[in-house]
Amino acid sequence: MSDLTRLTAAETAEAVASGKTSAVEVAEAHLARIDAVDEKVHAFLHVDREGALTAARAVDDKRAKGETLGPLAGVPLALKDVFTTRGIPTTVGSKILEGWIPPYDATLTRRLKEAGVVILGKTNMDEFAMGSSTENSAYGPTGNPWDLTRIPGGSGGGSSAALASYQAPLAIGTDTGGSIRQPAAVTGTVGVKPTYGAVSRYGLVAFSSSLDQGGPCARTVLDAALLHEVIAGHDALDSTSIDAPVPAVVEAAKLGNVKGMRIGVVKEFSGEGYQPGVEQRFREAVELLRELGAEVVEISCPSFTYALPAYYLIAPSEASSNLARFDAMRYGLRVGDDATHSAEEVTALTRAAGFGPEVKRRIMLGTYALSSGYYDAYYGQAQKVRTLITQDFARAFDQVDVLVSPTTPTTAFPIGERADDPMAMYLADLCTIPSNLAGNAAMSLPCGLAPEDGLPVGLQIIAPTMADDRLYRVGSAVEAAFTARWGHPLLEEAPSL
Ligand code: GLN
């Protein structure tokens, strides 16, 4: 077959199942692609060549025996280095976990393996998933395949870059404040934050437990849906896992129809700070939805204005508590000399050396916000804002089926531009954070290129809790219409490497 790295996940699975190609050939093609381009892109922190080929061989053996294969059997995937993988390093982009080899698989990892998905390796990310550019990785930045001098988004920039550079047709991300959707937007790929609790967090190294959510990343909406169905579902090992059937997302992606749907444009997500080309492409996408038969109305969600400050109190508060476990006694790095240093000194020296500046900033912020005397003024207030945001969503979804907005206010910015300005960096997640605070589902998908810089723009679709199928129904209708009119940004106009 011609270039196996250019196929979608659905096409790859079909080619393997029908015997047009073997899973080993598919894995080898992707490993060769990694060899050819990843020195430049730096999407991977660890490539598991042996593991990938062994998993691929197992799929081929199963097929040879006439056993039925799952819908993604033999399809390669890039896994964000925040999920534990038995016997394979898991660093979370941090020096503090350098050298740590987890003794167990995350539930998500286990499900991927059971489905015959071929895990190629672990992808780069902002340290502990804190960031919007992957520049906070302790292992160096990742380049955006559209322009290697620009950021691929964050924190899951390794995963989005792997997709956009054809190193993998599928990837996994985690979205605490936007880290699946924002990287998808700036690389012209598809990323979904499922409803909170839909995908198990067991074995996901915690940043902010009430917000963290794993989800699918792909180059097409259908591929994301296929992956969604593999990873979602109840898990007794995660106390916040939802015990209900997974919405029929693959069926919805195949349906792809918005006729008669009511779609709300979030009024608050426009104006100052939004790049003109992003707003232009967004307006065109809304026009397209109208042409496809949706009824479009404007919706105001006034509390969304406070989402960013509330998030930057809640997420660091939870992080300050979650990251207390990195004490030099349990995992990874250990600095200091037991003969001359006390246990407290070893902990302090290890944390000083092992955590980067953004992680330290968050731990300090969170510790302060939770301290007695300040708790009510900061953490308590932020939790009230969280309730107001949830109420805004509830009111909106009384009137419309889904909401839409740009995913990010700007296209990919140059590496280094916001590195020393945390506030500017935080603004990248302006439109994504409300859904994390409320726990509902949201997707980003490509909506063309900004005229001023030729870089991808993301359209965000937001659905109510446990109505993840609506994302796929609307998303695949938009994708089909876009592709028919302008061509798919990635499938037909490959970024040069
Ligand atoms: N950029 C946001 C942050 O730094 C979101 C990160 C994420 O979703 N993991 O907290």
Side-chain angles (χ1 to χ4, degrees):
M1 282 188 79
S2 59
D3 194 348
L4 293 169
T5 63
R6 296 277 156 156
L7 301 181
T8 66
E11 288 164 352
T12 307
E14 202 279 318
V16 169
S18 66
K20 276 193 223 99
T21 185
S22 70
V24 167
E25 280 173 318
V26 172
E28 279 171 347
H30 285 87
L31 290 167
R33 178 74 181 162
I34 293 172
D35 287 342
V37 300
D38 208 43
E39 213 170 306
K40 283 190 260 176
V41 179
H42 193 225
F44 285 92
L45 292 178
H46 182 87
V47 177
D48 183 18
R49 200 167 291 276
E50 272 320 299
L53 291 170
T54 305
R57 246 176 257 125
V59 170
D60 290 337
D61 288 348
K62 245 180 126 172
R63 185 179 177 276
K65 285 193 211 127
E67 292 174 34
T68 37
L69 300 178
L72 287 177
V75 181
L77 173 139
L79 180 57
K80 189 177 181 182
D81 203 21
V82 66
F83 282 98
T84 58
T85 38
R86 186 181 173 153
I88 300 295
T90 299
T91 66
V92 202
S94 181
K95 288 283 174 196
I96 209 147
L97 276 180
E98 195 166 32
W100 183 57
I101 310 278
Y104 72 108
D105 276 335
T107 297
L108 176 137
T109 308
R110 182 177 55 75
R111 288 198 175 163
L112 291 170
K113 288 181 177 174
E114 284 169 3
V117 172
V118 173
I119 300 172
L120 295 170
K122 308 294 289 289
T123 57
N124 198 15
M125 56 183 285
D126 285 302
E127 186 175 3
F128 281 93
M130 297 172 185
S132 305
S133 67
T134 313
E135 291 165 285
N136 294 336
S137 167
Y139 302 96
T142 297
N144 187 324
W146 288 81
D147 173 352
L148 292 171
T149 68
R150 291 179 185 258
I151 60 107
S155 59
S159 285
S160 64
L163 294 172
S165 55
Y166 300 96
Q167 298 188 61
L170 294 175
I172 291 288
T174 56
D175 197 309
T176 304
S179 287
I180 288 176
R181 290 163 286 162
Q182 186 257 2
V186 300
T187 55
T189 57
V190 178
V192 177
K193 182 198 93 68
T195 295
Y196 178 79
V199 174
S200 172
R201 288 186 298 109
Y202 178 75
L204 192 187
V205 179
F207 161 15
S208 179
S209 311
S210 76
L211 301 164
D212 296 342
Q213 186 55 217
C217 311
R219 288 191 294 260
T220 71
V221 173
L222 176 63
D223 285 359
L226 290 163
L227 184 54
H228 190 130
E229 287 197 358
V230 167
I231 59 175
H234 182 245
D235 179 18
L237 298 173
D238 171 0
S239 62
T240 58
S241 168
I242 295 174
D243 193 359
V246 178
V249 295
V250 171
E251 195 185 308
K254 287 182 175 161
L255 179 71
N257 179 357
V258 295
K259 214 167 243 136
M261 283 183 95
R262 283 178 66 86
I263 295 181
V265 173
V266 184
K267 187 174 145 236
E268 282 71 19
F269 291 151
S270 62
E272 207 194 324
Y274 287 78
Q275 190 178 319
V278 168
E279 292 208 301
Q280 184 188 327
R281 289 293 175 244
F282 174 66
R283 275 195 304 274
E284 288 166 7
V286 170
E287 208 33 62
L288 188 71
L289 285 165
R290 261 200 203 102
E291 286 170 32
L292 293 173
E295 189 188 335
V296 181
V297 294
E298 192 181 73
I299 295 278
S300 176
C301 297
S303 305
F304 285 12
T305 324
Y306 308 109
L308 201 66
Y311 171 87
Y312 277 101
L313 288 166
I314 292 168
S317 294
E318 293 185 14
S320 71
S321 163
N322 272 326
L323 271 56
R325 63 171 63 92
F326 301 100
D327 57 3
M329 308 294 153
R330 285 178 256 210
Y331 326 84
L333 187 73
R334 187 178 171 93
V335 179
D337 176 354
D338 289 331
T340 53
H341 295 114
S342 68
E344 285 76 13
E345 284 168 339
V346 169
T347 301
L349 287 168
T350 302
R351 287 167 70 85
F355 288 140
E358 185 63 22
V359 174
K360 287 177 182 155
R361 184 178 296 123
R362 306 266 180 127
I363 292 174
M364 285 192 278
L365 252 170
T367 307
Y368 182 79
L370 290 178
S371 56
S372 74
Y374 294 107
Y375 182 95
D376 285 336
Y378 295 114
Y379 185 74
Q381 283 297 101
Q383 289 291 22
K384 288 181 190 165
V385 169
R386 191 170 188 175
T387 302
L388 292 176
I389 288 168
T390 307
Q391 289 170 349
D392 272 2
F393 272 122
R395 261 192 302 273
F397 290 128
D398 275 346
Q399 301 168 63
V400 294
D401 300 303
V402 294
L403 293 166
V404 291
S405 78
T407 309
T408 54
T410 70
T411 55
F413 44 88
I415 291 176
E417 190 186 83
R418 301 189 192 179
D420 299 321
D421 186 352
M423 287 307 289
M425 189 70 83
Y426 296 171
L427 286 172
D429 297 309
L430 205 56
C431 311
T432 50
I433 280 174
S435 293
N436 298 91
L437 291 171
N440 57 287
M443 165 189 281
S444 179
L445 79 161
C447 93
L449 308 178
E452 58 269 63
D453 53 22
L455 292 168
V457 175
L459 170 70
Q460 181 176 226
I461 306 169
I462 308 173
T465 299
M466 288 309 278
D468 305 41
D469 50 326
R470 289 188 205 167
L471 303 175
Y472 291 94
R473 186 175 155 192
V474 177
S476 77
V478 170
E479 179 183 63
F482 254 98
T483 310
R485 201 166 301 184
W486 292 294
H488 191 285
L490 264 171
L491 295 182
E492 296 183 12
E493 193 184 309
S496 59
L497 275 181

